[in-house]
Amino acid sequence: MTSQPRDSYDVVVVGSGIGGLCCAAMLALYDNKVAVFESHTHPGGAAHGFSIEKDGLKFQFDTGPSFFSGLNPDLPPKSSNPLRTVLDAIDEQVECIPYSSFGLLFPEGEFVHTPEFDADVLSQFGNAQAEWKSLMKFMEPLAATVAALPTAALRGDIGVIKSAAPFLPKLILNPQPWNNLLLTQPYSEVLKQAGVRNTFLKNWIDLLCFCLSGLPASGTISAEMAMMMGEFYEPDAVMDCPRSGAKSIVDALVRGLEKNGGDIFCRSHVDKIEIDVRGQAVGIILHKNGQRIRAKKAVVSNMSVWDLLKSGIVDRKHFPAWFLEDREDTPVGKSFMHLHVGFKASREELAKLQAHYMFMKDWSLGVEAADNAVLLSIPSVHDESLAPAGFGVLHAYLPATEDFATWEGLDRKSKEYQQLKESRSSYLWSTIEKVIPDIRERVIVSRVGTPLTHQRFLRRYKGSYGPAIKAGEASFPFPGTPVKGLLLCGDSCFPGIGVPAVAGSGLLAANSVSLDSLDAQIDVLRKFRLRQSSSLIRKQ
Ligand SMILES: Cc1cc2nc3c(=O)[nH]c(=O)nc-3n(C[C@H](O)[C@H](O)[C@H](O)COP(=O)(O)OP(=O)(O)OC[C@H]3O[C@@H](n4cnc5c(N)ncnc54)[C@H](O)[C@@H]3O)c2cc1C
């Protein structure tokens, strides 16, 4: 990383989440002088990695995401995975360990989810298997539509006519074009039209939706599910465990940025995005030394919509009232309880476990209820590099079901806070015990993270997972703002929450900075199509 920023760049990106990094890496590829400024000591935002050392033992943890697919450089790229599109465009790879199963701990029993999920598990629940098959059939044209127009082909200006044109025939030739309208509807509408009534199946899909968007099927946009189902349930689908954790994705994006002349500065909190008298974003001011950095073309914010508009970083007088009202009222998704543990375990013991478990205590409470769903990730099952031999790491968390209000205003050094941490993490410990009964005797290091931790280290308003925008009621906005030269990316923007989605938002923001990028964008798309067709030929 460079040590000292210049006084001027073409584009300045505020925040190094996956959205900000993808945006910056693409802008650097498009020949812009670009710099990313990040408050935290590590880049990556929700996807940053951190390590804890004790008695000479080093444990490497992921802060957030651990479910990935479509990244493996040995497998053909899919147009529906914008993160892979960015990695391919900047010619960077993430080494992945493929795997295809994870555990389900449900009130009905314990199951292993494999590519034969319908035959192995759904067949035990009435007509769930038959309904699943109908759903998959129903989803085919929807998935084809999502795949037909990659996010990489979009941009926020007139150039979209040229960049998207090669993809339109496939979109229009869809055998059931009217079905495309369903993509903007809640996924519950797709379930209804596909005839899904089985209770177990509906519960399972609610949980899948919730893990993806932070909302059940009734609030999750069908386009996101069409994208995800394609990756998850294709006959040869595998999941990717990135070697060394999500950090390796962040590292690959930083490498891509830097090799094309971009800069990234951590411990560099941005105090102000400057907007001049003409109402144009012209640069930023750094907190640590008050340095003013000019942005000749644009400032791109990777902050959440609330952090951008409510933290004082922008002067609100430059935004029309309708914009402020509309965006500030974006519903705030709940926060997390985290438990990271480094523990004793031999390779043989780890090999008997799954790398992920989804736990659900009681379906009748709903997937959004507190102390109900838990996600447990044990990446050491596949990746030996995260802990010394004889040890492993795990991360258990309440997936966006923790109320920020319970924690708001507490002093992190107070006894009350410590006690609350202990009591609120007990549900996570008891869930881990269902998989590793003697986990407490095996612990070497453990850390409890609360909504305040999430807010502080990830700089997320109220420690939120992201906008709880319900499909059918509103939609995730595009990157433009009423302030000229100020663009947005990240999970407050289209297409939504999740690593592939925010990568798409970064691509879209990069494509929307100026028309100068049009030829370079078309070149990226051409290479992408070539890569896809050559891997198809190899497959045949
Ligand atoms: C526990 C958890 C598990 C998840 N699991 C998955 C999963 O398995 N698969 C998946 O696809 N997705 C998952 N997600 C979602 C995914 O991680 C996020 O949607 C995505 O990483 C958010 O990226 P972003 O670009 O919006 O930026 P963020 O990650 O929010 O990063 C924004 C960055 O901006 C910085 N910043 C903010 N303000 C300033 C400022 N003023 N100056 C400088 N820097 C600033 C912040 O420090 C931060 O680094 C998970 C999320 C969490 C929390």
Side-chain angles (χ1 to χ4, degrees):
M1 287 180 203
T2 328
S3 55
Q4 200 49 43
R6 310 158 168 221
D7 286 333
S8 164
Y9 290 88
D10 292 327
V11 185
V12 164
V13 178
V14 182
S16 71
I18 297 288
L21 287 176
C22 286
C23 176
M26 291 307 290
L27 283 166
L29 182 75
Y30 295 162
D31 241 358
N32 290 283
K33 207 63 210 127
V34 55
V36 180
F37 294 91
E38 167 58 50
S39 300
H40 195 32
T41 47
H42 295 75
H48 83 262
F50 67 98
S51 60
I52 303 176
E53 280 192 58
K54 190 177 172 195
D55 302 333
L57 301 169
K58 188 174 174 191
F59 299 91
Q60 178 68 37
F61 295 100
D62 278 331
T63 304
S66 54
F67 262 106
F68 300 102
S69 63
L71 297 183
N72 197 325
D74 300 331
L75 298 173
K78 290 211 179 103
S79 55
S80 54
N81 189 328
L83 178 57
R84 175 67 186 274
T85 309
V86 173
L87 289 168
D88 285 349
I90 59 176
D91 202 14
E92 286 296 335
Q93 301 196 336
V94 175
E95 191 192 340
C96 291
I97 307 158
Y99 66 103
S100 57
S101 68
F102 55 93
L104 304 174
L105 308 174
F106 288 168
E108 294 86 351
E110 294 184 14
F111 309 97
V112 176
H113 186 294
T114 66
E116 285 77 45
F117 175 64
D118 61 331
D120 292 351
V121 180
L122 293 179
S123 59
Q124 302 175 39
F125 296 94
N127 52 352
Q129 187 181 11
E131 288 187 8
W132 176 258
K133 286 200 163 124
S134 316
L135 176 64
M136 290 298 111
K137 194 94 205 112
F138 191 88
M139 292 292 293
E140 274 170 19
L142 298 180
T145 302
V146 170
L149 184 63
T151 318
L154 301 177
R155 49 188 300 125
D157 54 37
I158 188 81
V160 72
I161 296 174
K162 202 169 163 190
S163 62
F167 301 91
L168 294 182
K170 258 195 182 170
L171 203 63
I172 296 160
L173 292 176
N174 183 330
Q176 295 160 344
W178 56 91
N179 253 358
N180 293 347
L181 297 175
L182 262 178
L183 286 169
T184 60
Q185 295 298 305
Y187 197 57
S188 50
E189 191 52 40
V190 170
L191 298 181
K192 202 164 106 196
Q193 294 200 20
V196 173
R197 285 185 193 84
N198 180 277
T199 307
F200 180 82
L201 182 54
K202 280 170 82 174
N203 284 337
W204 164 240
I205 291 173
D206 251 351
L207 183 59
L208 269 186
C209 286
F210 189 63
C211 292
L212 190 66
S213 71
L215 291 167
S218 57
T220 302
I221 187 164
S222 300
E224 204 167 358
M225 287 305 282
M227 199 192 256
M228 187 270 244
M229 295 292 237
E231 295 240 313
F232 236 59
Y233 287 112
E234 276 194 348
D236 51 358
V238 286
M239 285 168 287
D240 298 324
C241 173
R243 196 178 291 282
S244 308
K247 175 183 176 300
S248 60
I249 299 174
V250 174
D251 290 346
L253 293 171
V254 170
R255 279 197 307 273
L257 166 70
E258 292 186 329
K259 78 178 174 199
N260 287 314
D263 291 336
I264 176 162
F265 303 94
C266 287
R267 299 175 201 270
S268 297
H269 181 71
V270 175
D271 254 353
K272 270 267 166 252
I273 294 176
E274 291 201 288
I275 301 171
D276 71 5
V277 283
R278 298 166 302 160
Q280 172 148 0
V282 288
I284 57 155
I285 301 179
L286 291 181
H287 175 78
K288 60 181 172 193
N289 54 7
Q291 186 182 351
R292 268 203 156 82
I293 295 160
R294 218 178 128 225
K296 288 185 235 163
K297 290 186 182 172
V299 175
V300 181
S301 159
N302 183 208
M303 307 164 72
S304 80
V305 62
W306 313 284
D307 289 295
L308 176 73
L309 297 177
K310 292 181 190 235
S311 68
I313 193 170
V314 288
D315 189 339
R316 296 161 58 89
K317 74 171 188 237
H318 296 291
F319 296 84
W322 65 262
F323 179 84
L324 292 174
E325 274 163 32
D326 181 55
R327 296 290 173 93
E328 277 177 342
D329 286 349
T330 305
V332 186
K334 286 191 184 174
S335 190
F336 296 83
M337 284 300 298
H338 296 271
L339 179 56
H340 288 92
V341 183
F343 61 101
K344 268 191 232 144
S346 66
R347 277 265 28 102
E348 295 71 35
E349 286 171 321
L350 287 166
K352 289 184 192 138
L353 301 174
Q354 297 292 326
H356 295 281
Y357 291 89
M358 290 180 173
F359 171 75
M360 177 57 77
K361 185 170 70 182
D362 182 351
W363 292 115
S364 71
L365 300 174
V367 288
E368 295 164 291
D371 286 356
N372 198 17
V374 174
L375 297 186
L376 171 59
S377 163
I378 317 177
S380 294
V381 167
H382 299 304
D383 185 355
E384 294 174 30
S385 74
L386 301 169
F391 300 88
V393 292
L394 66 80
H395 175 201
Y397 59 96
L398 298 182
T401 55
E402 185 71 359
D403 263 325
F404 185 74
T406 315
W407 299 84
E408 194 161 16
L410 283 182
D411 175 357
R412 283 183 296 105
K413 295 199 180 82
S414 68
K415 211 167 159 198
E416 194 189 353
Y417 179 69
Q418 295 308 325
Q419 281 167 349
L420 193 59
K421 256 172 109 169
E422 190 145 323
S423 68
R424 294 297 302 124
S425 58
S426 61
Y427 185 60
L428 293 174
W429 281 111
S430 64
T431 305
I432 301 169
E433 278 164 351
K434 293 182 195 312
V435 177
I436 310 173
D438 56 350
I439 183 66
R440 288 179 196 257
E441 282 119 64
R442 292 171 179 264
V443 176
I444 305 296
V445 291
S446 69
R447 291 284 184 282
V448 174
T450 72
L452 296 187
T453 325
H454 209 85
Q455 180 188 43
R456 179 161 163 248
F457 285 104
L458 306 184
R459 293 217 168 252
R460 306 274 309 189
Y461 178 73
K462 298 194 173 193
S464 171
Y465 181 49
I469 295 177
K470 286 194 175 148
E473 289 179 13
S475 49
F476 282 87
F478 266 48
T481 72
V483 169
K484 208 167 164 238
L486 176 64
L487 291 104
L488 315 178
C489 68
D491 59 14
S492 291
C493 301
F494 174 85
I497 302 180
V499 169
V502 298
S505 78
L507 249 172
L508 192 48
N511 292 345
S512 305
V513 162
S514 89
L515 260 177
D516 301 350
S517 63
L518 183 58
D519 288 341
Q521 180 195 6
I522 287 171
D523 195 43
V524 165
L525 292 166
R526 189 181 53 77
K527 286 185 185 144
F528 172 76
R529 283 200 302 274
L530 269 177
R531 221 173 277 128
Q532 255 195 334
S533 47
S534 64
S535 48
L536 274 180
I537 293 166
R538 273 208 309 275
K539 234 175 143 185
Q540 283 159 8

